[in-house]
Amino acid sequence: MVALVMIVGLLGLIFYQGGATFWPGPLVEITTHDGRTFLGEVTRSEDYRLDADTLNKLPPAIAANARALLAAHEGQMRRRLLRTGNFDLTGSEYQWVSDYEVVRETEPLWAVTVERTDWGNCYGVVQGFLVTNELRVKDPARAEVETNDPGTAWNRFQQVHEGVRDKLANEHYFVRLQTRGGSKGDKVYDLPVEEVVLAYPANQLSFGGRFKVYLTRWVEFLTDKPRMANTEGGVLPAIWGTVAMTLLLSLLVVPFGVLAALYLREYARPGPIVSAVRIAINNLAGVPSIVFGVFGLGFFCYLLGGSVDQVFFRDRLPSPTFGTGGLLWASMTLALLTLPVVIVSTEEALAAVPSSMREGSYACGASKWQTIWRIVLPRALPGIMTGMILAMARGAGEVAPLMLVGVLKHAPELPIDGVFPFVHLQRSFMHLGFHIFDVGFQSRNSEAARPMVYTTTFLLIVIIALLNLMAVWLRSRLRRRFQVSHF
Amino acid sequence: MTVPKTDQPAVHLTAPLLQQVSPPSAQPGAIVGLATPASTSKLAAIARGEKVETITHAAVSRETPVLEVLRFNLWYGAKQALHEISLPLPEGKVTALIGPSGCGKSTLLRSVNRMNDLIDTVRIQGDMKLHGDSIYHPAVDVIELRKRMGMVFQKPNPFPMSIYENVVYPLRVDGERDRRLLDETAERCLRGAALWDEVKDRLHESALALSGGQQQRVCIARAIAGDPEVLLLDEPCSALDPIATNKIEELIQELKGAYTILIVTHNMQQAARTSDYTAFMYMGYVIEYGPTADLFVNPHVKETQDYITGRFG
Ligand SMILES: Nc1ncnc2c1ncn2[C@@H]1O[C@H](COP(=O)(O)OP(=O)(O)OP(=O)(O)O)[C@@H](O)[C@H]1O
Ligand SMILES: [Mg+2]
């Protein structure tokens, strides 16, 4: 019961937070009592206790306002976290604003949210549209201002944005934005259209418009490579890495696990050695996964991979290099890690095949191998598939050993491409699990990374669920097939 | 499709064959109170651990035996389950094995096609001969041997595949790929098992979806698909309703002549109706063996009469 509540709660939180990340919120412009102005998107709000010291230092009118707010709100003060973006201009990305500080709050009609290729988001109010023949606007006075009307400027932006990102033109376009820098001061910033990934006037969007932006951002997330130290852009390489590694791992672990279980259950004579092997397998399941990582690095990467390099690719190093971490070695390491699961469930599935069926087969003059191949294995297949599903679920979520055997923070090259031999199993790869760790805890700005952590977690869970569903579907198909006919 | 003998659990043959050796310990003492002392001199002797000779009617020796059991003994670990069994099974006839539960009927049946090899603790002594070929000689290929017999178990045990594949399974393990031959065999055996009309439209559906009686008839069809010399039936009707039982009894009548049949049954009427010869077993001994009519009407041994008339067991 507790477990159910916890699972539902956790999934609910992740789905809510992950699902909400890409929803475009309105932009507010807030002026505080000390004259600073901020423009940004409210990301969250919370209540806190305002200490008396701060309160006493405030100008009397503001202090009175603050006291009134406190009284109305049971002694709590609300504050909101604004994502103000413009990191390149202000050196900060987020700003807390308490309610008592606010003297003016508006939602400017032409405030726009801009996702850029560099420096993260930009927020500003459209003022005009410029054309120059230089890459940057060095002297705003010399630039040719096309229009000073926000509506016209926005239309021009939309016209040129589509084509401009890829081609090199002599003309460079800029959107003139009024930005708000808080204590750093407000600036007029000429935003190069080339740098814009996605822009929308957040306060003018209808619900449908917001939904379109939401979908566009999801598509970008799923199909793009990461930008900005993984905090921006998409996770396509990580999705690829996760899926490829999981599939490869199940391809490796199932034959080995099934053979091992077959030997243990059907061929080995019960005795101290078999018992010892069983105990060893069960203990293998309890070994911390990082130990497998160390083993994988030492054995697969250095020993096996090193030998492969020496023997086959001596003259061609460093491409390909097998002697470092890579997709193949990572899958092998995880296959080793999940082997006990497959062995144990296969053994159980084999034991569950009624002995009457085996006897029936023997009585028909079948040999032991024929009986196993034609009767026992098909009958045990659903159980074996269950083992595979468990192994996949465990393997796809494992991160620690991967850090040693091939996962990188940034490896935009996919393991499959158009270059011979098309599948590059020796390449390092990205993994959603590691991505979560990297974005959440290793990035410059944890506040900016937070939504990405939720979204990536959400994605990881969905992908694992999809992989499992696929395996379950395959299992039911096989089950039906082996009930009906045989090979 | 021969497999090295190492594949099979070892059978411990005590050389030389047919030599009588007293069992390590065979004192089944718990059965003493089963019958009244006056009527059970023979049973009491067995209970005391003494040897009891099989009373074999003279009519048996006039038949040509297809399968001969020759002073066969079998132990499960230290416990002896079969004692000095000697039975000649007449060709093309139905022989019934009757006797109280646990007396070793299934064990004897399973010894004929060496299914007991699968049990590690089993040890045997003595031999059986199928058409003069030894069954328990160390050089015998068990798999080839089993192909010469068909077996139907007490509980229907169809394989998890289609009806068709179930029936042609003995041919499949022989590596038969000729579609026409397989189809013919399937039809012939399903007709033989009186099942063809019921399943001819659903041959490729799972055999597990059939009723218990139909499943048992699939197993019978499977048992005759390999064209066996001997058919071993271990209580084939115990899980079936009277109608299915009837069908299978009719089937046995039809199959006899073409096949030599050894059937285990608890049902006296069934034994009387279907069999030509009957062997009465008790505690691992065959007490009496003779033509069914004689055995049921005027048994030579009093214990047989008691058992048949239901006065003990
Ligand atoms: N696998 C085994 N291991 C040990 N003892 C066994 C085994 N199978 C049978 N026995 C014993 O051998 C004896 C004969 O068993 P068997 O199954 O042949 O009896 P049965 O005559 O077929 O009885 P039923 O009519 O109930 O089927 C029994 O005492 C039984 O406990
Ligand atoms: Mg039995």
PDB file of all heavy atoms in Angstrom, chain A residues 229-251:
ATOM      1  N   ALA A 229      26.201  22.834 -22.768  1.00  0.00           N
ATOM      2  CA  ALA A 229      26.570  21.879 -21.734  1.00  0.00           C
ATOM      3  C   ALA A 229      25.373  21.052 -21.303  1.00  0.00           C
ATOM      4  O   ALA A 229      25.116  20.840 -20.117  1.00  0.00           O
ATOM      5  CB  ALA A 229      27.179  22.583 -20.532  1.00  0.00           C
ATOM      6  N   ASN A 230      24.613  20.605 -22.285  1.00  0.00           N
ATOM      7  CA  ASN A 230      23.485  19.698 -22.080  1.00  0.00           C
ATOM      8  C   ASN A 230      22.260  20.328 -21.447  1.00  0.00           C
ATOM      9  O   ASN A 230      21.239  19.665 -21.317  1.00  0.00           O
ATOM     10  CB  ASN A 230      23.873  18.485 -21.225  1.00  0.00           C
ATOM     11  CG  ASN A 230      24.830  17.583 -21.950  1.00  0.00           C
ATOM     12  OD1 ASN A 230      25.080  17.760 -23.137  1.00  0.00           O
ATOM     13  ND2 ASN A 230      25.371  16.603 -21.246  1.00  0.00           N
ATOM     14  N   THR A 231      22.340  21.615 -21.018  1.00  0.00           N
ATOM     15  CA  THR A 231      21.162  22.162 -20.354  1.00  0.00           C
ATOM     16  C   THR A 231      20.119  22.625 -21.349  1.00  0.00           C
ATOM     17  O   THR A 231      18.984  22.890 -20.991  1.00  0.00           O
ATOM     18  CB  THR A 231      21.536  23.352 -19.454  1.00  0.00           C
ATOM     19  OG1 THR A 231      22.247  24.287 -20.261  1.00  0.00           O
ATOM     20  CG2 THR A 231      22.379  22.907 -18.290  1.00  0.00           C
ATOM     21  N   GLU A 232      20.505  22.737 -22.602  1.00  0.00           N
ATOM     22  CA  GLU A 232      19.559  23.188 -23.611  1.00  0.00           C
ATOM     23  C   GLU A 232      19.534  22.165 -24.741  1.00  0.00           C
ATOM     24  O   GLU A 232      20.378  21.275 -24.807  1.00  0.00           O
ATOM     25  CB  GLU A 232      20.000  24.537 -24.182  1.00  0.00           C
ATOM     26  CG  GLU A 232      20.013  25.669 -23.187  1.00  0.00           C
ATOM     27  CD  GLU A 232      18.627  26.241 -22.975  1.00  0.00           C
ATOM     28  OE1 GLU A 232      17.842  26.235 -23.933  1.00  0.00           O
ATOM     29  OE2 GLU A 232      18.332  26.669 -21.850  1.00  0.00           O
ATOM     30  N   GLY A 233      18.564  22.359 -25.622  1.00  0.00           N
ATOM     31  CA  GLY A 233      18.524  21.508 -26.798  1.00  0.00           C
ATOM     32  C   GLY A 233      17.929  20.154 -26.486  1.00  0.00           C
ATOM     33  O   GLY A 233      17.169  19.985 -25.545  1.00  0.00           O
ATOM     34  N   GLY A 234      18.291  19.163 -27.314  1.00  0.00           N
ATOM     35  CA  GLY A 234      17.627  17.871 -27.224  1.00  0.00           C
ATOM     36  C   GLY A 234      18.495  16.796 -26.626  1.00  0.00           C
ATOM     37  O   GLY A 234      19.594  17.046 -26.147  1.00  0.00           O
ATOM     38  N   VAL A 235      17.968  15.600 -26.636  1.00  0.00           N
ATOM     39  CA  VAL A 235      18.678  14.469 -26.043  1.00  0.00           C
ATOM     40  C   VAL A 235      18.737  13.299 -27.003  1.00  0.00           C
ATOM     41  O   VAL A 235      18.884  12.167 -26.574  1.00  0.00           O
ATOM     42  CB  VAL A 235      17.998  14.025 -24.735  1.00  0.00           C
ATOM     43  CG1 VAL A 235      18.178  15.066 -23.665  1.00  0.00           C
ATOM     44  CG2 VAL A 235      16.537  13.734 -24.957  1.00  0.00           C
ATOM     45  N   LEU A 236      18.626  13.569 -28.298  1.00  0.00           N
ATOM     46  CA  LEU A 236      18.568  12.459 -29.245  1.00  0.00           C
ATOM     47  C   LEU A 236      19.718  11.457 -29.074  1.00  0.00           C
ATOM     48  O   LEU A 236      19.473  10.254 -29.014  1.00  0.00           O
ATOM     49  CB  LEU A 236      18.536  12.999 -30.679  1.00  0.00           C
ATOM     50  CG  LEU A 236      18.376  11.890 -31.718  1.00  0.00           C
ATOM     51  CD1 LEU A 236      17.000  11.259 -31.599  1.00  0.00           C
ATOM     52  CD2 LEU A 236      18.585  12.402 -33.122  1.00  0.00           C
ATOM     53  N   PRO A 237      20.968  11.911 -28.956  1.00  0.00           N
ATOM     54  CA  PRO A 237      22.044  10.914 -28.807  1.00  0.00           C
ATOM     55  C   PRO A 237      21.867  10.053 -27.556  1.00  0.00           C
ATOM     56  O   PRO A 237      22.172   8.861 -27.572  1.00  0.00           O
ATOM     57  CB  PRO A 237      23.309  11.771 -28.698  1.00  0.00           C
ATOM     58  CG  PRO A 237      22.944  13.085 -29.263  1.00  0.00           C
ATOM     59  CD  PRO A 237      21.495  13.282 -28.977  1.00  0.00           C
ATOM     60  N   ALA A 238      21.349  10.680 -26.500  1.00  0.00           N
ATOM     61  CA  ALA A 238      21.158   9.914 -25.265  1.00  0.00           C
ATOM     62  C   ALA A 238      20.060   8.875 -25.433  1.00  0.00           C
ATOM     63  O   ALA A 238      20.160   7.745 -24.945  1.00  0.00           O
ATOM     64  CB  ALA A 238      20.835  10.852 -24.110  1.00  0.00           C
ATOM     65  N   ILE A 239      18.997   9.256 -26.152  1.00  0.00           N
ATOM     66  CA  ILE A 239      17.926   8.278 -26.413  1.00  0.00           C
ATOM     67  C   ILE A 239      18.486   7.110 -27.207  1.00  0.00           C
ATOM     68  O   ILE A 239      18.305   5.938 -26.873  1.00  0.00           O
ATOM     69  CB  ILE A 239      16.774   8.943 -27.188  1.00  0.00           C
ATOM     70  CG1 ILE A 239      16.121  10.022 -26.338  1.00  0.00           C
ATOM     71  CG2 ILE A 239      15.738   7.909 -27.597  1.00  0.00           C
ATOM     72  CD1 ILE A 239      15.020  10.759 -27.058  1.00  0.00           C
ATOM     73  N   TRP A 240      19.224   7.461 -28.258  1.00  0.00           N
ATOM     74  CA  TRP A 240      19.833   6.430 -29.090  1.00  0.00           C
ATOM     75  C   TRP A 240      20.711   5.506 -28.261  1.00  0.00           C
ATOM     76  O   TRP A 240      20.621   4.279 -28.376  1.00  0.00           O
ATOM     77  CB  TRP A 240      20.693   7.103 -30.166  1.00  0.00           C
ATOM     78  CG  TRP A 240      20.044   7.094 -31.481  1.00  0.00           C
ATOM     79  CD1 TRP A 240      19.463   8.149 -32.105  1.00  0.00           C
ATOM     80  CD2 TRP A 240      19.882   5.966 -32.332  1.00  0.00           C
ATOM     81  NE1 TRP A 240      18.947   7.740 -33.297  1.00  0.00           N
ATOM     82  CE2 TRP A 240      19.195   6.412 -33.468  1.00  0.00           C
ATOM     83  CE3 TRP A 240      20.251   4.620 -32.247  1.00  0.00           C
ATOM     84  CZ2 TRP A 240      18.867   5.569 -34.515  1.00  0.00           C
ATOM     85  CZ3 TRP A 240      19.920   3.776 -33.292  1.00  0.00           C
ATOM     86  CH2 TRP A 240      19.239   4.257 -34.409  1.00  0.00           C
ATOM     87  N   GLY A 241      21.566   6.134 -27.466  1.00  0.00           N
ATOM     88  CA  GLY A 241      22.497   5.340 -26.674  1.00  0.00           C
ATOM     89  C   GLY A 241      21.760   4.395 -25.745  1.00  0.00           C
ATOM     90  O   GLY A 241      22.073   3.199 -25.658  1.00  0.00           O
ATOM     91  N   THR A 242      20.731   4.920 -25.077  1.00  0.00           N
ATOM     92  CA  THR A 242      19.992   4.098 -24.128  1.00  0.00           C
ATOM     93  C   THR A 242      19.332   2.919 -24.829  1.00  0.00           C
ATOM     94  O   THR A 242      19.457   1.769 -24.407  1.00  0.00           O
ATOM     95  CB  THR A 242      18.916   4.948 -23.428  1.00  0.00           C
ATOM     96  OG1 THR A 242      19.526   6.130 -22.945  1.00  0.00           O
ATOM     97  CG2 THR A 242      18.277   4.193 -22.299  1.00  0.00           C
ATOM     98  N   VAL A 243      18.644   3.230 -25.932  1.00  0.00           N
ATOM     99  CA  VAL A 243      17.909   2.166 -26.624  1.00  0.00           C
ATOM    100  C   VAL A 243      18.877   1.135 -27.206  1.00  0.00           C
ATOM    101  O   VAL A 243      18.714  -0.078 -27.007  1.00  0.00           O
ATOM    102  CB  VAL A 243      17.017   2.773 -27.727  1.00  0.00           C
ATOM    103  CG1 VAL A 243      16.409   1.680 -28.573  1.00  0.00           C
ATOM    104  CG2 VAL A 243      15.932   3.616 -27.098  1.00  0.00           C
ATOM    105  N   ALA A 244      19.910   1.620 -27.891  1.00  0.00           N
ATOM    106  CA  ALA A 244      20.851   0.686 -28.524  1.00  0.00           C
ATOM    107  C   ALA A 244      21.520  -0.191 -27.474  1.00  0.00           C
ATOM    108  O   ALA A 244      21.643  -1.411 -27.647  1.00  0.00           O
ATOM    109  CB  ALA A 244      21.902   1.464 -29.309  1.00  0.00           C
ATOM    110  N   MET A 245      21.909   0.439 -26.359  1.00  0.00           N
ATOM    111  CA  MET A 245      22.592  -0.343 -25.337  1.00  0.00           C
ATOM    112  C   MET A 245      21.660  -1.398 -24.741  1.00  0.00           C
ATOM    113  O   MET A 245      22.056  -2.538 -24.525  1.00  0.00           O
ATOM    114  CB  MET A 245      23.105   0.579 -24.240  1.00  0.00           C
ATOM    115  CG  MET A 245      24.029  -0.104 -23.291  1.00  0.00           C
ATOM    116  SD  MET A 245      23.992   0.696 -21.714  1.00  0.00           S
ATOM    117  CE  MET A 245      22.348   0.295 -21.175  1.00  0.00           C
ATOM    118  N   THR A 246      20.405  -1.001 -24.499  1.00  0.00           N
ATOM    119  CA  THR A 246      19.474  -1.948 -23.896  1.00  0.00           C
ATOM    120  C   THR A 246      19.192  -3.127 -24.826  1.00  0.00           C
ATOM    121  O   THR A 246      19.173  -4.285 -24.392  1.00  0.00           O
ATOM    122  CB  THR A 246      18.164  -1.233 -23.541  1.00  0.00           C
ATOM    123  OG1 THR A 246      18.486  -0.038 -22.842  1.00  0.00           O
ATOM    124  CG2 THR A 246      17.294  -2.091 -22.677  1.00  0.00           C
ATOM    125  N   LEU A 247      19.000  -2.824 -26.108  1.00  0.00           N
ATOM    126  CA  LEU A 247      18.715  -3.912 -27.039  1.00  0.00           C
ATOM    127  C   LEU A 247      19.920  -4.839 -27.167  1.00  0.00           C
ATOM    128  O   LEU A 247      19.791  -6.068 -27.125  1.00  0.00           O
ATOM    129  CB  LEU A 247      18.337  -3.345 -28.405  1.00  0.00           C
ATOM    130  CG  LEU A 247      17.007  -2.591 -28.426  1.00  0.00           C
ATOM    131  CD1 LEU A 247      16.690  -2.094 -29.816  1.00  0.00           C
ATOM    132  CD2 LEU A 247      15.878  -3.493 -27.928  1.00  0.00           C
ATOM    133  N   LEU A 248      21.093  -4.225 -27.287  1.00  0.00           N
ATOM    134  CA  LEU A 248      22.312  -5.024 -27.422  1.00  0.00           C
ATOM    135  C   LEU A 248      22.509  -5.886 -26.183  1.00  0.00           C
ATOM    136  O   LEU A 248      22.875  -7.066 -26.275  1.00  0.00           O
ATOM    137  CB  LEU A 248      23.495  -4.076 -27.603  1.00  0.00           C
ATOM    138  CG  LEU A 248      24.760  -4.667 -28.185  1.00  0.00           C
ATOM    139  CD1 LEU A 248      24.465  -5.254 -29.540  1.00  0.00           C
ATOM    140  CD2 LEU A 248      25.830  -3.595 -28.304  1.00  0.00           C
ATOM    141  N   LEU A 249      22.218  -5.289 -25.046  1.00  0.00           N
ATOM    142  CA  LEU A 249      22.392  -6.016 -23.793  1.00  0.00           C
ATOM    143  C   LEU A 249      21.469  -7.222 -23.731  1.00  0.00           C
ATOM    144  O   LEU A 249      21.879  -8.305 -23.327  1.00  0.00           O
ATOM    145  CB  LEU A 249      22.143  -5.048 -22.621  1.00  0.00           C
ATOM    146  CG  LEU A 249      21.214  -5.429 -21.481  1.00  0.00           C
ATOM    147  CD1 LEU A 249      21.980  -6.286 -20.499  1.00  0.00           C
ATOM    148  CD2 LEU A 249      20.725  -4.198 -20.777  1.00  0.00           C
ATOM    149  N   SER A 250      20.215  -7.045 -24.193  1.00  0.00           N
ATOM    150  CA  SER A 250      19.334  -8.213 -24.120  1.00  0.00           C
ATOM    151  C   SER A 250      19.736  -9.255 -25.158  1.00  0.00           C
ATOM    152  O   SER A 250      19.627 -10.455 -24.904  1.00  0.00           O
ATOM    153  CB  SER A 250      17.867  -7.827 -24.275  1.00  0.00           C
ATOM    154  OG  SER A 250      17.732  -6.616 -24.925  1.00  0.00           O
ATOM    155  N   LEU A 251      20.241  -8.798 -26.308  1.00  0.00           N
ATOM    156  CA  LEU A 251      20.718  -9.763 -27.296  1.00  0.00           C
ATOM    157  C   LEU A 251      21.874 -10.586 -26.743  1.00  0.00           C
ATOM    158  O   LEU A 251      22.034 -11.756 -27.072  1.00  0.00           O
ATOM    159  CB  LEU A 251      21.206  -9.032 -28.546  1.00  0.00           C
ATOM    160  CG  LEU A 251      20.131  -8.637 -29.540  1.00  0.00           C
ATOM    161  CD1 LEU A 251      20.754  -8.042 -30.792  1.00  0.00           C
ATOM    162  CD2 LEU A 251      19.310  -9.861 -29.914  1.00  0.00           C
TER     163      LEU A 251
END
